[in-house]
């Protein structure tokens, strides 16, 4: 017997960050978070279950992955095998149209695409809310990549009610300019970085309480189409997340000198009347939330310092897409 599924999911960039788990097994976050799905980065994943395979195989960008990477995928496949009551092994082939593990959200598009492909291949066919909870258990931020536009991941009270919900399709002059400072894989993964921050940073509690309030304020700003307010909350929330990491032991600093340079350029652009705001994740790359209509002006300014291929302009992206086999 053989059963297949294939899907594409887009990355998402958090405006209000998820940085810490209250439950590591089910991946339940300390606070709710809010993101923008982007259309420039995505993952396509195909899953084939067959009773003729002796074990699971995981190919990423065409190369067969080692036991440790495959083990992560196997544990994730187990969730679907258990729910659909199948015991077939699988071949998973995934292609990242995004740099892997560079703070550009490959884990989000990666696990959202894998969840959607498994949903088809296992014939479980759950709805999007349930799918978001599956994706969450692969990587927390993947819960949000199930939907397009602005998305909230509600922290919930237990493993059955912590899922993402669509907030707004973001089709109102919203864009992002991403400056790829360095696309190499990071030394401290998000998983390890957030764990260390939760257990050692004295600022942690203050950060996660504030983030919960920030989600509410950001949603209100989106509802009122108040772009400036949304941008200011985004910028502050991102900086606060990095501040809590600096308080970890040993401290975590993902920034590089060019990251700081971009942050300063954003401030200068703003002083000149261009409404734009930066955010950074677990890596040195900087994402600039802006008006799509002003993205080219921002790009031109950045090109005074950075090569064009390091500057990516993106619009809001869609939710998960099932692909034909
Ligand atoms: P990023 O900033 O790129 O999201 P993370 O450290 O959060 O980096 O996550 C990187 C991890 O995500 C990888 O080591 C791998 O375990 C997982 N990942 C990346 N791409 C895929 C994919 N296409 N399918 C499954 N898992 C993936
Ligand atoms: C800084 O979702 O990659 O991008 O749940 O351990 O897989 P795991 O972590 P992950 O962390 C994302 C962290 C972040 C902020 C965010 O996307 O909200």
């Amino acid at each position: 017997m053989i059963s297949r599924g294939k899907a594409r999911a887009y990355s998402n960039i958090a405006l209000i960050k998820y940085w810490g788990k209250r439950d590591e097994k089910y991946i339940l976050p300390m606070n709710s978070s809010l993101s923008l799905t982007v259309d420039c980065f995505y993952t396509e994943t195909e899953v084939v279950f067959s009773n003729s395979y002796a074990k699971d195989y995981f190919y990423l960008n065409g190369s067969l992955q080692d036991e440790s990477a495959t083990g992560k995928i196997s544990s994730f496949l187990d969730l679907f095998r258990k729910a659909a009551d199948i015991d077939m092994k699988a071949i998973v082939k995934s292609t990242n149209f995004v740099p892997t593990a560079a703070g550009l959200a490959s884990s989000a598009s990666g696990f959202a695409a894998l969840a959607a492909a498994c949903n088809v291949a296992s014939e479980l066919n759950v709805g999007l809310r349930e799918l978001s909870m599956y994706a969450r258990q692969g990587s927390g931020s993947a819960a949000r990549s199930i939907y397009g536009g602005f998305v909230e991941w509600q922290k919930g009270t237990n493993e059955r009610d912590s899922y993402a919900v669509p907030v707004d399709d973001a089709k109102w002059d919203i864009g992002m300019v991403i400056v790829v400072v360095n696309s190499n894989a990071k030394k401290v993964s998000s998983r390890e970085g957030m764990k260390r921050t939760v257990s050692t940073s004295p600022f942690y509690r203050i950060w996660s309480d504030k983030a919960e309030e920030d989600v509410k304020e950001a949603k209100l700003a989106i509802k009122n189409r108040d772009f400036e307010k949304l941008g200011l909350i985004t910028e502050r929330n991102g900086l606060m997340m990095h501040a809590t990491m600096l308080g970890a032991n040993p401290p975590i600093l993902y920034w590089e000198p060019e990251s700081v340079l971009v942050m300063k350029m954003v401030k200068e652009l703003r002083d000149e009347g261009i409404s734009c705001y930066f955010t950074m994740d677990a890596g040195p790359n900087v994402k600039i939330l802006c008006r799509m209509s002003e993205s080219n002006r921002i790009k031109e300014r950045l090109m005074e310092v950075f090569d064009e291929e390091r500057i990516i302009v993106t619009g809001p992206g869609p939710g998960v897409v099932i692909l034909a086999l």
Side-chain angles (χ1 to χ4, degrees):
M1 200 196 149
I2 192 155
S3 170
R4 302 164 189 272
K6 189 171 180 184
R8 180 193 305 138
Y10 292 81
S11 299
N12 72 78
I13 303 300
L15 307 183
I16 309 300
K17 311 290 185 188
Y18 147 59
W19 192 251
K21 300 175 180 64
R22 62 181 201 276
D23 182 302
E24 290 187 3
K25 177 167 185 258
Y26 291 108
I27 309 203
L28 300 177
M30 286 287 197
N31 55 267
S32 305
S33 53
L34 188 136
S35 57
L36 178 68
T37 301
V38 290
D39 68 359
C40 62
F41 293 139
Y42 57 95
T43 298
E44 287 184 357
T45 300
E46 184 180 346
V47 174
V48 181
F49 284 112
S50 167
N51 43 19
S52 68
Y53 305 148
K55 57 178 191 147
D56 294 326
Y57 296 90
F58 173 41
Y59 292 85
L60 182 58
N61 299 334
S63 57
L64 185 63
Q65 300 296 293
D66 64 15
E67 251 179 57
S68 145
T70 310
K72 257 181 103 174
I73 301 297
S74 289
S75 311
F76 187 79
L77 294 171
D78 286 344
L79 301 174
F80 281 87
R81 284 192 276 243
K82 191 172 168 214
D85 197 20
I86 51 176
D87 61 2
M88 291 181 281
K89 300 293 181 196
I91 294 184
V92 175
K93 286 185 183 163
S94 186
T95 307
N96 279 342
F97 296 87
V98 50
T100 303
L104 293 167
S106 69
S107 66
S109 55
F111 278 99
L114 180 61
C118 282
N119 194 30
V120 175
S122 66
E123 294 173 12
L124 200 59
N125 297 321
V126 298
L128 291 181
R129 178 169 286 186
E130 186 92 18
L131 193 59
S132 165
M133 289 196 276
Y134 276 105
R136 184 197 81 215
Q137 293 176 75
S139 182
S141 53
R144 299 184 307 239
S145 274
I146 298 300
Y147 298 103
F150 291 113
V151 180
E152 178 188 8
W153 172 16
Q154 300 178 340
K155 72 174 194 160
T157 58
N158 60 56
E159 71 273 16
R160 298 289 316 146
D161 68 0
S162 181
Y163 46 74
V165 291
V167 168
D168 183 288
D169 63 12
K171 289 186 179 139
W172 43 285
D173 199 10
I174 295 289
M176 229 178 222
V177 179
I178 300 177
V179 186
V180 182
V181 167
N182 187 336
S183 61
N184 293 335
K186 56 191 130 182
K187 293 194 179 74
V188 182
S189 69
S190 304
R191 188 150 299 183
E192 185 190 335
M194 67 176 79
K195 191 173 176 181
R196 189 192 302 169
T197 309
V198 172
S199 57
T200 64
S201 178
F203 313 144
Y204 190 77
R205 181 51 61 191
I206 305 168
W207 140 258
S208 65
D209 288 348
K210 181 72 176 77
E212 200 61 45
E213 282 172 31
D214 286 351
V215 169
K216 291 196 187 90
E217 271 196 60
K219 278 201 298 182
L220 193 62
I222 290 169
K223 195 170 163 216
N224 296 333
R225 300 279 198 270
D226 187 343
F227 181 73
E228 282 65 38
K229 187 158 181 217
L230 177 65
L232 286 170
I233 303 168
T234 296
E235 201 169 280
R236 232 177 120 222
N237 181 275
L239 284 171
M240 278 186 69
M241 175 184 76
H242 286 275
T244 185
M245 291 184 209
L246 291 177
N249 187 14
I252 304 164
L253 178 63
Y254 286 111
W255 303 0
E256 287 181 17
E258 285 182 326
S259 319
V260 180
L261 180 65
V262 178
M263 293 186 220
K264 296 211 178 260
M265 287 177 84
V266 166
K267 181 73 177 51
E268 279 167 23
L269 282 160
R270 212 149 71 215
D271 290 344
E272 291 166 24
I274 299 179
S275 191
C276 59
Y277 305 85
F278 63 79
T279 188
M280 285 182 66
D281 294 287
N285 306 311
V286 187
K287 295 94 179 190
I288 305 169
L289 179 69
C290 64
R291 297 289 197 183
M292 197 61 190
S293 57
E294 290 183 327
S295 58
N296 278 332
R297 278 178 73 190
I298 297 169
K299 183 176 173 181
E300 270 164 33
R301 176 62 63 81
L302 290 163
M303 275 167 58
E304 291 171 12
V305 180
F306 296 93
D307 293 339
E308 189 170 4
E309 60 268 22
R310 293 168 71 190
I311 307 165
I312 298 161
V313 175
T314 179
V320 84
V321 181
I322 302 303
L323 300 174
L325 288 154

